[in-house]
Amino acid sequence: MPDSSASNDLDPKYRMDGSCWKFVPVISGGFFNEEYGDSIFKHHLIVLQLQLALIFSLATLIHLLLRHFYLPRLISEVLAGVILGPTVLGRYFPDISATLFSHQSLKVLSTLTRFGYLFFMFLIGVKMDVNLIKKSGRREWTIGSFVIVFPILFIVTIAKNISLKVDKIGEESLEWVSLFAGLIMLTSFPVVAILLMHLKIINSELGNLTLSSALISDLISVVIVNLDKFGQLTRLASERVALKSMFLVLTLIMFVVTILRGMIYWIIRRTPEGKPVKDAYLFFVIIALLVVAVVGENAGLQYMYGPFILGLTVPTGHPLASTLIEKLDTIVSGWMLPLMSTYCGYRSDLWELKKKPPAWIMFTITFGVLFKTTCGFIPAICLKVPLKDATAMALMLTCKGIIELGCFATNADKQATGPQDFTWAVFSVFIFAALVPTITRFLYDPSKTYRGYQKRTVLNSSLNEGVRMLACAHRKDDALSTIKLLQLSNPFIGTPLSVYGLYLEQLVGGSSPLLLNHQLGQKSCSDGRWQQIIDVFNHFKNHCSKPTQVQVYTAISPQTLMHEDVCWVAFQNSVSLIILPFHRKWNRKGKMIADSKELRAFNIRVMNKAPCSVGILVDHDRSLRLPITDKSSTYRVCVMYLGGKDDREALAIGRRMKGWPSVYLTVVRCKEDDDAAQKGWESMLDDECLREIKHQSRECNNVLYKEEIVRHGADTSSIVGSLLDENYDLIIVGRHSDSNSSLIEGLSAWTELPELGAIGDMLASSEISKSVSIFVVQQQVIGK
């Protein structure tokens, strides 16, 4: 019979009842099925569910209160833990705290958090693109090495000496000192990637430099940490034990890299293109993940490094990496991982901060962080990174987050760690996680990148330089639809045309965005998906009537940040016009088959931020894909001109097309029935732009100019309807985003798609089955 003096908390399934142990079910039978005097809180599943409900409810409430400060969600999760821990709930409501967070229930919560951290490290390896190292240049390697090697060597060593000579701690506590100082000096790739995503600059030039430097720094730190661990085994045990551990670890790594990696590639080959990975293969990967974690920890490797290495062997993208992320990311990052932040906040006691802190802690979080920031700042300045960008990058490389909290929580129970030391560890991560994004946002504002940029429009393009157009495509259909518009804009007679094709792919199964220039031979592991886009643009180049410069890019980035790649490519290449595909698609019978809200939001973001003019191509006419090769065929283009800068840009595009003998250009000008309304600077600019067209309409057979008198929006709507009845192949209109003209009075109230303007919205209506294509143009917006 068990000792009656033993605590009832020794096993969650049993409790003392007189002189016998009584089985307590994990699951409750309900309020009304409990015995008299019993509580449902004796059932550990009930307690766990209540803990989870409290944690997520409180964290969400705090996040809603702090969201206006643009702080990361980790801050609200840690604060929720602090409130539920000894700082607030345990101090002022000890009975409630003892009921909700008993010793045994915390063991269950701790196990769940570590299990989630295990899967999180695996997913980090899956998302990490090791090929980023191959693409890194001298700047990335220099910054990444400086920011980790020197702080680890100097700060950790000095902190250990201060702890021994000033704080007089024992030898048994030195391991925690090394861990604390090492993690504060750490540059974690996942933390930096999450920060860049939070700041929405991950695919900017600064974001790419910071991300590559963080990856190099993180991999160097993994080598340093494990070499130090083997050194500790040599000192504390023997050289034979250290060599045995190193041999087992290397054997495990070789097994993962050769055998398991080969099986992963076999799974990928066995999965047909476009088909999901079989559940049996996913179960195999998860079982391998757990086995590698257990074997690695027993071999001397920390339990999270084995899954991390296994994740690195999974090729990024489709099909396996994307499926694993789709299946695991929501439950791991959205449920299990936040528990780690809350658990660390729960274990910390802010009342411990009232005590005098150890000198080595203050040295590490003040001088150590300053030294680490300097190690990132100096090489960046020497490598000609702008001052503000270098400062922001150095700060971002010192940011702390979930990786550091997970390491602190994992090692706190193994080492001699007091509540004060652990509280300072969590508090340090909390401070850096809150301050770094705030200061970085102040130093680096991506919205100012294109502000004050010189005027880049088709109307203002130089005759010698020609026009540069950026054609965006999400799939092959988009590229084919754009080709005819590009060919129409590239007549044999006229200024030269330079085309930049940009294939846009959503980042799936990775955390590192890519921008590839295929003219430079840059490739990745999934070239097949964009090869057909490259072939479309190469076909256009080979069939042009005159030499035309064509360059093709591929941008792989998150859906919400994809517009940054478009704007950056346009900015770097001095593009005058960005051509975007419409978010709705029709088949040959005129039936709408696709309506993407994500693509519409992408188009709006590009129009709001573009450093040049933007046009949205609405492809009603599927025959628009065919090139102009038959000289006997004709192509009818109409420009509807109401006046204003957007219409002047639309007219400039139409004027280029009239250089084709087979293209018949019609310009329909709508004028107000009020002479006073036609005076002013804008009217003078309109008349000047139309002067050449009026003259050519009398001299050329393929140019027609006509005017329509309009009293109000209803008349304009009638003219739009008549244009659709004229069987034009392409209608070009301005967006009129800032027009208060009476020509469109009353039409804006019925606009379904404001990004197209009132006229474009009517022409692109889903109810229209005419096989006419619409091109809605917005001239560059200066001073955004």
Side-chain angles (χ1 to χ4, degrees):
M1 182 179 295
D3 184 7
S4 60
S5 63
S7 171
N8 293 345
D9 283 339
L10 287 177
D11 193 324
K13 297 181 292 184
Y14 296 89
R15 65 184 179 91
M16 282 295 294
D17 185 16
S19 59
C20 299
W21 290 98
K22 182 180 179 181
F23 178 78
V24 178
V26 175
I27 303 175
S28 170
F31 280 103
F32 301 104
N33 292 327
E34 297 294 331
E35 296 181 5
Y36 180 76
D38 282 347
S39 170
I40 61 170
F41 295 110
K42 69 183 180 181
H43 305 284
H44 287 267
L45 182 60
I46 294 293
V47 175
L48 178 62
Q49 291 173 335
L50 188 57
Q51 288 173 345
L52 295 177
L54 281 173
I55 288 170
F56 286 106
S57 299
L58 187 57
T60 302
L61 178 62
I62 296 173
H63 181 68
L64 291 175
L65 295 175
L66 298 180
R67 63 179 177 177
H68 298 294
F69 298 98
Y70 301 101
L71 294 174
R73 197 173 184 90
L74 178 137
I75 298 298
S76 58
E77 294 163 0
V78 173
L79 286 176
V82 169
I83 294 173
L84 296 174
T87 304
V88 179
L89 188 66
R91 186 178 182 89
Y92 298 105
F93 306 96
D95 293 337
I96 298 177
S97 178
T99 302
L100 294 178
F101 297 96
S102 63
H103 180 67
Q104 282 297 336
S105 67
L106 286 179
K107 288 184 178 180
V108 176
L109 191 62
S110 174
T111 303
L112 189 60
T113 59
R114 297 190 184 191
F115 196 70
Y117 192 67
L118 180 79
F119 276 88
F120 172 71
M121 292 301 296
F122 170 70
L123 288 178
I124 287 299
V126 172
K127 294 178 181 180
M128 188 179 292
D129 185 7
V130 184
N131 292 322
L132 197 62
I133 298 178
K134 301 177 184 178
K135 301 181 181 73
S136 300
R138 183 169 61 95
R139 289 198 309 175
E140 290 83 356
W141 276 99
T142 303
I143 296 171
S145 302
F146 268 71
V147 84
I148 189 65
V149 174
F150 291 107
I152 287 286
L153 291 179
F154 290 105
I155 301 302
V156 174
T157 303
I158 296 174
K160 290 167 69 174
N161 289 330
I162 292 176
S163 65
L164 289 173
K165 297 179 180 179
V166 178
D167 298 311
K168 308 295 183 182
I169 68 170
E171 291 284 344
E172 68 280 358
S173 299
L174 277 182
E175 193 173 352
W176 174 257
V177 175
S178 300
L179 176 73
F180 182 96
L183 287 176
I184 296 299
M185 295 300 104
L186 176 71
T187 295
S188 173
F189 173 81
V191 171
V192 173
I194 292 172
L195 173 64
L196 292 171
M197 289 284 289
H198 174 71
L199 296 174
K200 298 181 180 180
I201 58 173
I202 192 168
N203 50 359
S204 64
E205 186 180 22
L206 177 63
N208 289 327
L209 176 61
T210 306
L211 196 66
S212 300
S213 302
L215 176 59
I216 293 169
S217 177
D218 203 358
L219 293 180
I220 292 175
S221 68
V222 170
V223 176
I224 294 175
V225 167
N226 285 283
L227 288 177
D228 180 67
K229 185 175 181 62
F230 293 130
Q232 291 179 13
L233 282 175
T234 304
R235 293 192 304 271
L236 299 177
S238 66
E239 186 175 338
R240 180 182 177 183
V241 173
L243 290 175
K244 181 181 177 181
S245 176
M246 184 179 295
F247 172 77
L248 292 175
V249 168
L250 291 177
T251 302
L252 176 64
I253 294 175
M254 290 301 298
F255 176 78
V256 172
V257 172
T258 56
I259 306 299
L260 292 182
R261 183 170 179 265
M263 298 183 74
I264 286 172
Y265 274 89
W266 178 83
I267 291 173
I268 294 174
R269 289 194 300 270
R270 293 277 296 179
T271 304
E273 186 174 356
K275 299 291 184 179
V277 180
K278 293 182 179 179
D279 289 342
Y281 296 153
L282 298 178
F283 293 150
F284 167 77
V285 174
I286 293 174
I287 292 171
L289 155 70
L290 298 175
V291 171
V292 167
V294 173
V295 174
E297 187 171 27
N298 285 277
L301 195 67
Q302 288 203 22
Y303 79 98
M304 64 274 197
Y305 282 126
F308 173 72
I309 296 171
L310 178 62
L312 289 177
T313 63
V314 180
T316 57
H318 304 279
L320 185 57
S322 58
T323 304
L324 286 169
I325 292 174
E326 180 184 357
K327 299 286 187 181
L328 299 176
D329 199 42
T330 299
I331 191 170
V332 173
S333 300
W335 180 49
M336 290 183 173
L337 199 60
L339 291 179
M340 177 63 76
S341 308
T342 308
Y343 179 71
C344 289
Y346 175 85
R347 289 195 55 178
S348 58
D349 185 359
L350 296 188
W351 298 104
E352 293 288 337
L353 299 181
K354 295 177 65 177
K355 302 177 183 178
K356 182 180 179 181
W360 65 269
I361 289 181
M362 298 307 298
F363 167 80
T364 303
I365 63 178
T366 53
F367 182 80
V369 173
L370 180 62
F371 180 74
K372 179 178 176 63
T373 306
T374 305
C375 287
F377 176 79
I378 291 178
I381 289 294
C382 295
L383 294 169
K384 296 181 171 46
V385 178
L387 179 63
K388 281 193 173 183
D389 289 4
T391 307
M393 184 195 66
L395 282 173
M396 287 188 286
L397 292 175
T398 63
C399 188
K400 306 300 166 203
I402 189 62
I403 296 296
E404 289 78 12
L405 286 180
C407 290
F408 282 135
T410 300
N411 291 276
D413 295 330
K414 299 179 182 179
Q415 302 173 10
T417 308
Q420 184 185 26
D421 291 344
F422 187 81
T423 301
W424 271 107
V426 176
F427 181 71
S428 302
V429 173
F430 180 88
I431 291 298
F432 290 123
L435 288 181
V436 170
T438 304
I439 299 175
T440 304
R441 187 176 284 106
F442 173 77
L443 291 173
Y444 182 80
D445 184 2
S447 64
K448 296 179 180 179
T449 305
Y450 316 116
R451 193 171 296 172
Y453 186 51
Q454 59 180 318
K455 202 169 186 64
R456 283 290 175 185
T457 65
V458 177
L459 181 63
N460 297 97
S461 296
S462 169
L463 293 177
N464 296 326
E465 182 183 344
V467 177
R468 299 184 178 190
M469 296 186 180
L470 174 62
C472 301
H474 298 270
R475 57 185 192 178
K476 186 178 179 180
D477 287 349
D478 298 333
L480 291 171
S481 299
T482 308
I483 289 304
K484 185 61 177 292
L485 182 63
L486 292 173
Q487 192 171 15
L488 285 169
S489 304
N490 190 33
F492 185 78
I493 301 174
T495 57
L497 176 70
S498 298
V499 175
Y500 300 89
L502 179 60
Y503 170 53
L504 297 162
E505 182 179 341
Q506 184 177 358
L507 179 64
V508 179
S511 59
S512 306
L514 294 175
L515 180 61
L516 306 176
N517 185 348
H518 296 292
Q519 307 306 120
L520 302 178
Q522 295 179 346
K523 298 181 179 180
S524 187
C525 59
S526 54
D527 291 349
R529 293 199 301 277
W530 57 64
Q531 185 58 48
Q532 53 186 348
I533 307 294
I534 300 175
D535 293 341
V536 170
F537 285 104
N538 286 336
H539 177 79
F540 163 74
K541 180 179 180 180
N542 296 332
H543 289 78
C544 283
S545 58
K546 60 183 178 182
T548 303
Q549 179 186 0
V550 178
Q551 293 188 34
V552 186
Y553 295 83
T554 292
I556 306 175
S557 58
Q559 183 73 44
T560 55
L561 299 178
M562 201 174 283
H563 64 286
E564 293 286 353
D565 288 320
V566 177
C567 296
W568 180 250
V569 173
F571 179 78
Q572 285 288 86
N573 294 287
S574 301
V575 166
S576 300
L577 177 67
I578 299 173
I579 303 174
L580 300 174
F582 192 47
H583 66 276
R584 290 174 178 169
K585 308 294 179 186
W586 290 265
N587 59 15
R588 293 183 182 274
K589 297 181 180 180
K591 181 181 179 181
M592 190 170 66
I593 57 176
D595 188 357
S596 173
K597 295 181 180 179
E598 293 79 11
L599 184 54
R600 181 191 175 194
F602 159 78
N603 288 344
I604 293 173
R605 286 192 290 266
V606 173
M607 298 185 83
N608 290 336
K609 197 171 183 178
C612 59
S613 298
V614 182
I616 296 181
L617 179 60
V618 184
D619 184 17
H620 277 295
D621 182 12
R622 310 306 291 180
S623 64
L624 186 64
R625 303 171 180 179
L626 300 176
I628 304 176
T629 54
D630 186 2
K631 296 183 179 180
S632 62
S633 64
T634 60
Y635 199 84
R636 304 184 65 194
V637 179
C638 176
V639 177
M640 186 173 179
Y641 197 99
L642 276 69
K645 62 177 186 177
D646 291 344
D647 279 354
R648 290 194 288 272
E649 187 72 1
L651 182 62
I653 297 171
R655 278 203 307 248
R656 289 187 60 87
M657 298 179 182
K658 68 180 176 58
W660 288 102
S662 57
V663 172
Y664 286 80
L665 175 65
T666 300
V667 178
V668 179
R669 185 185 187 186
C670 299
K671 299 179 65 174
E672 295 184 54
D673 189 17
D674 184 2
D675 294 335
Q678 300 177 24
K679 296 180 180 180
W681 178 250
E682 287 292 323
S683 296
M684 292 176 59
L685 292 176
D686 292 335
D687 292 336
E688 184 62 30
C689 285
L690 291 167
R691 187 188 306 277
E692 181 185 355
I693 290 293
K694 291 179 180 180
H695 174 73
Q696 290 177 346
S697 67
R698 295 189 292 267
E699 302 290 335
C700 303
N701 294 327
N702 66 336
V703 178
L704 175 63
Y705 172 81
K706 56 183 180 180
E707 294 183 353
E708 298 283 353
I709 302 300
V710 176
R711 294 167 298 174
H712 42 65
D715 290 345
T716 305
S717 180
S718 299
I719 294 174
V720 171
S722 66
L723 294 180
L724 293 173
D725 294 332
E726 291 287 338
N727 294 321
Y728 288 108
D729 297 294
L730 174 65
I731 299 177
I732 308 175
V733 298
R735 182 190 178 193
H736 304 285
S737 57
D738 54 355
S739 175
N740 296 317
S741 172
S742 61
L743 297 175
I744 57 175
E745 183 181 1
L747 298 180
S748 300
W750 301 96
T751 300
E752 181 187 3
L753 305 171
E755 67 271 18
L756 299 182
I759 306 300
D761 180 75
M762 286 191 291
L763 292 170
S765 173
S766 58
E767 299 176 358
I768 295 176
S769 58
K770 297 282 186 178
S771 59
V772 56
S773 294
I774 314 298
F775 192 50
V776 182
V777 181
Q778 171 189 279
Q779 195 181 65
Q780 178 192 13
V781 181
I782 303 294
K784 296 185 289 292

